[in-house]
Amino acid sequence: MPPTGPAGPAGPAPDDGVDGPEGEAAGFPPPRPVRSRLRLAILGATAGALVLFALPLALAVRTVYTEEAATALQREAARIVALVPDEQLTQPDRIRQPDDRTESLGVYDPAGRRVSGTGPEVSRQAAAAVASGVATTGREGAELASFLPVRADGQPAVVVRAALPWSAVTGRVLRAWALMGLLVLLVLGVAWWVADRLARRLAAPLERLADSAATLGQGGFGLQVPPSGIHEVDVVGGVLEDSGRRLGDMFRRERAFSADASHQLRTPLTALRLTLESGAVDPDAEVAGVVDEALVQVDRLEQTVDDLLTLARDLPGEGQPAPVAAVVHQLVTLHRPHCESAGRRLEEQVPPGLPEVDFPEPALRQVLEVLVDNACRHGAGTVRVAARTAGTGVAVEVCDQGRLPDGDLERLFARRSSQASGSGIGLALARSLVEADGARLAVHRRPDGTTFTVLMAAAPVADDSA
């Protein structure tokens, strides 16, 4: 008996076209700027910190070098005072200029006129230092000068002036600033390298997440997000994977439902069409009889739709056991006219007192619908539907005298198998419905034909004494 369809569980075929290409997404902005923004943010923060640190340091360096030069000038003036007697300070040949030609030494009288050494002819600051009697240091013209009053007999007589060109001070400051600038550039270079590596490490997982989201948007539900080592990113990646699996399952279920519904509705629709056509071509047909028969087929069609919707949505049942005898009798009654019109017999063998089964009634109806319709359409000889107890369960057998093709019988249950002579869905649907509720569906070759057996657990018997 050739089967109407092979099938494993009501899931997709191995190559179902659900998974799409990964890594590209139309309509998504390129993720590369994330890396650039991270790099610039890190570099900007480093540069800001350097500026906040370098500006005060540059001012401090200038102050330190200026004070250092002033201290050196004061020491030079004090050295002259210590080495040259007071009465000889005004003698021109007694003031020996320092070896450093940038410095100059001079002696000034209380009026601020130079009397010995080198320097400007008149110095107002020298006169002020003589008058105050206090050593001072300050900028005078283009020089940094230090003034040290020398007292004679308790009265300031002259002032020793030690000076240094201001350009020499600023030159040292500028060289220090240049060195600081080089250090800043070096730090910025290191910061750029560190920022680039850190940005790559942080941006790469985000880019992979963007690619995964793009893949998911294109229908690639079987995506896998590699771990990044960043907890938050890995959590988002796991959520994307779970969402992809759920969406893929939903998509496959909807597609399987469409295929299963079209297959299961074909038989009652064909029966309804034949009923209406026979009434239309037979002038002697009674309208009432044709309408009654059509209504029976409509009821069957409605029942099939309800069963498929219930099974597709996984709606929980009412917890009531399925009456095997009633389901078998209903199916045999519906299919008998079709079998007899093809010159075939359809028999029913259900012993009295058959226990009910712990199996959803909609699923049982659809499974037996597939097996009986398969036997009537593609089998041979008499079709027999028999129910019996089997240990602690119930077995329902659909037998006919057709011969199965050689080969592995399990391939009959593969969805859209090459061995299927029909649409390749019926037996797949039946196997998936049976296994989904813990039952079994098997096929056997026998000398007198082919037998499909559904083995289900018997429903527990209620305790009336409670």
Side-chain angles (χ1 to χ4, degrees), residues 45-364:
T46 304
L50 286 176
V51 169
L52 293 176
F53 175 75
L55 285 180
L57 181 61
L59 296 176
V61 166
R62 186 181 66 176
T63 302
V64 168
Y65 279 180
T66 302
E67 292 179 352
E68 182 180 320
T71 302
L73 292 174
Q74 292 170 4
R75 285 199 304 267
E76 188 64 23
R79 182 182 67 83
I80 295 299
V81 172
L83 293 178
V84 179
D86 296 345
E87 63 276 6
Q88 297 179 9
L89 287 175
T90 57
Q91 297 178 11
D93 56 348
R94 295 298 295 168
I95 304 300
R96 181 175 178 271
Q97 298 297 321
D99 295 335
D100 187 357
R101 296 298 182 183
T102 59
E103 294 184 2
S104 63
L105 294 172
V107 179
Y108 290 78
D109 61 14
R113 291 187 300 270
R114 178 167 57 85
V115 295
S116 179
T118 58
E121 292 296 331
V122 178
S123 173
R124 293 182 178 180
Q125 294 186 23
V130 173
S132 64
V134 178
T136 61
T137 301
R139 185 172 178 180
E140 185 178 36
E143 294 180 319
L144 178 65
S146 179
F147 301 91
L148 178 61
V150 178
R151 297 177 180 274
D153 297 332
Q155 297 294 326
V158 294
V159 63
V160 177
R161 178 182 183 271
L164 180 70
W166 183 252
S167 59
V169 178
T170 57
R172 293 185 63 190
V173 173
L174 291 177
R175 286 193 295 272
W177 285 357
L179 180 60
M180 291 174 58
L182 291 177
L183 290 177
V184 167
L185 292 178
L186 178 61
V187 171
L188 287 177
V190 174
W192 176 266
W193 179 78
V194 173
D196 183 70
R197 291 181 61 86
L198 185 59
R200 288 176 181 273
R201 183 176 183 273
L202 293 177
L206 298 178
E207 292 169 2
R208 287 195 293 268
L209 281 181
D211 292 341
S212 299
T215 301
L216 185 60
Q218 288 184 328
F221 302 127
L223 60 89
Q224 291 184 348
V225 182
S228 64
I230 302 175
H231 175 71
E232 292 76 6
V233 174
D234 291 341
V235 169
V236 176
V239 171
L240 278 179
E241 290 183 359
D242 293 339
S243 300
R245 283 191 291 269
R246 288 195 297 269
L247 290 174
D249 291 342
M250 184 183 303
F251 179 84
R252 286 188 286 267
R253 289 175 67 85
E254 292 295 331
R255 188 174 61 182
F257 171 75
S258 300
D260 297 341
S262 63
H263 178 273
Q264 293 302 96
L265 295 177
R266 181 181 58 185
T267 299
L269 283 174
T270 301
L272 177 60
R273 182 183 182 87
L274 291 175
T275 299
L276 296 176
E277 287 180 349
S278 63
V281 300
D282 187 1
D284 299 329
E286 296 182 0
V287 176
V290 173
V291 170
D292 290 342
E293 187 174 353
L295 288 176
V296 171
Q297 299 300 333
V298 170
D299 291 340
R300 177 186 177 189
L301 182 62
E302 183 179 4
Q303 182 65 63
T304 300
V305 171
D306 291 340
D307 289 346
L308 289 175
L309 288 174
T310 300
L311 296 172
R313 296 169 182 170
D314 283 336
L315 297 178
E318 300 177 354
Q320 298 295 329
V324 177
V327 173
V328 170
H329 179 72
Q330 179 186 23
L331 288 176
V332 170
T333 302
L334 289 174
H335 284 273
R336 181 170 284 134
H338 171 63
C339 286
E340 291 179 350
S341 64
R344 309 271 302 282
R345 292 181 58 189
L346 180 58
E347 298 179 350
E348 172 188 354
Q349 295 181 1
V350 179
L354 187 69
E356 296 179 333
V357 293
D358 187 13
F359 195 84
E361 185 174 344
L364 179 59

